[in-house]
Amino acid sequence: MERQKSFADENQGILYIVGTPIGNLQDMSDRAKAILAEVDLIAAEDTRHTRKLLNHLGLSTPLVSYHEHNEQKRGAELVGKLKEGMRIALVSDAGLPGISDPGEEVVRQAVAEGITVVPIPGPNAALTALVASGLPTQPFLFIGFLPRSSKGRKEELAKWKSAPATLLLYEAPHRLPEMLTDLLEVLGNRRVAIPRELTKKHEEWLRGNLADCLAYIKEQGPRGEYVIVVEGAGEVREEEQSPWWEGLSVIDHVEAIIEKGSSKKEAILQAAQDRGVPKREIYNMYHKGSE
């Protein structure tokens, strides 16, 4: 067992993990600003980005880069400086370092060397989205970014398909439609909340089911930074105990989904998921009956 005091002696190094704004610069806390002013060095994911923040705050603390491409080498250098007594703040471009951003490795190295690590709380996009999503906030499961390939995404999602927890995911704008398509195929048409540009001037929320939100994003095009909040497995709501499509033929089922704004391909996929049968079966039945 190891025991760490909250603050080290003045002659010992300290690694501060500092949360920075995810968009709105007014979310910078007074404590975070004070730490960035007092430390000897700031390790930043992108020094150019962090320099803009420091200029806004009126600070001139020295910067050094620390990102995914140099974290092994630079992490060892930072730990060496900490062992010499330097006080270093670690920041990412936005939010809390180490959460789908560089930081985890240098924290691990510092802890292994017995260096004091002090977190300075700040904004986090995933939790900000969760608390305003309208979906259950407990329990939740943070997944972050999924693999870039469709096959990889589906394999990763299959691991969490049965988790009785709200899922929190990130995705780059240009991959969002494909990622939501895979979510729909693997998890089914669950409730989601999809905010973009959180805390910024053009913040916007989509709330509804996956199929409807996917159709909207395909029509409008993805714009900005997104968080995807997805309801967990096993949440049975009273109004959903009897499927809305019960009693409809396959053709009527597909047509009803199309009328809600989905494409024929999306409607066939959704009908297959609703009924728990292969997509090819729905495809054949629909096109045979439409002839």
Side-chain angles (χ1 to χ4, degrees), residues 65-270:
S65 66
Y66 177 81
H67 47 72
E68 62 178 337
H69 302 296
N70 71 357
E71 60 182 342
Q72 287 289 339
K73 179 181 178 181
R74 186 53 52 81
E77 293 174 359
L78 293 174
V79 169
K81 294 180 183 298
L82 289 163
K83 293 171 71 173
E84 293 171 1
M86 289 188 69
R87 301 197 173 198
I88 300 174
L90 176 68
V91 301
S92 65
D93 288 348
L96 285 169
I99 306 297
S100 286
D101 277 319
E104 180 180 355
E105 179 62 23
V106 71
V107 171
R108 185 193 63 77
Q109 293 179 27
V111 169
E113 293 290 341
I115 295 166
T116 299
V117 178
V118 177
I120 309 298
N124 172 264
L127 294 181
T128 301
L130 175 64
V131 297
S133 68
L135 296 173
T137 59
Q138 292 178 309
F140 69 85
L141 176 63
F142 176 73
I143 298 174
F145 286 99
L146 293 169
R148 295 188 177 188
S149 70
S150 179
K151 179 181 178 181
R153 283 194 296 266
K154 291 176 182 178
E155 290 176 350
E156 185 68 19
L157 287 169
K159 298 177 184 178
W160 313 114
K161 181 178 181 178
S162 301
T166 300
L167 308 179
L168 305 178
L169 304 107
Y170 292 155
E171 189 52 276
H174 65 281
R175 286 195 297 269
L176 185 64
E178 291 75 16
M179 180 264 214
L180 294 178
T181 299
D182 290 339
L183 274 178
L184 182 60
E185 182 173 339
V186 177
L187 303 183
N189 198 20
R190 300 187 186 185
R191 290 185 298 163
V192 293
I194 307 177
R196 72 175 185 91
E197 299 293 86
L198 279 169
T199 77
K200 300 177 184 177
K201 180 179 180 180
H202 298 292
E203 178 178 318
E204 179 182 57
W205 287 78
L206 291 179
R207 294 184 178 90
N209 61 49
L210 258 171
D212 290 343
C213 290
L214 172 59
Y216 177 86
I217 288 174
K218 283 185 174 181
E219 178 182 347
Q220 299 296 320
R223 303 186 303 276
E225 300 297 326
Y226 290 85
V227 180
I228 302 91
V229 186
V230 187
E231 74 174 332
E235 293 177 20
V236 180
R237 296 175 294 282
E238 183 177 349
E239 66 271 19
E240 291 186 355
Q241 290 179 357
S242 294
W244 64 268
W245 47 266
E246 190 173 36
L248 294 180
S249 68
V250 168
I251 295 174
D252 289 340
H253 188 175
V254 173
E255 292 292 346
I257 298 173
I258 292 174
E259 289 176 3
K260 294 180 180 180
S262 297
S263 68
K264 185 184 297 184
K265 181 179 179 181
E266 292 166 345
I268 290 173
L269 172 62
Q270 183 56 53

Side-chain angles (χ1 to χ4, degrees), residues 6-57:
S6 296
F7 298 97
D9 297 334
E10 62 179 15
N11 294 324
Q12 293 181 326
I14 299 178
L15 177 63
Y16 294 97
I17 312 302
V18 182
T20 56
I22 59 176
N24 193 321
L25 296 181
Q26 294 182 16
D27 292 335
M28 188 76 180
S29 73
D30 290 340
R31 186 185 179 202
K33 179 179 178 181
I35 291 297
L36 295 185
E38 295 169 3
V39 294
D40 302 301
L41 184 67
I42 298 173
E45 182 179 3
D46 185 332
T47 55
R48 295 166 300 179
H49 183 91
T50 301
R51 177 57 65 195
K52 292 178 182 179
L53 174 63
L54 296 184
N55 289 340
H56 173 80
L57 299 173

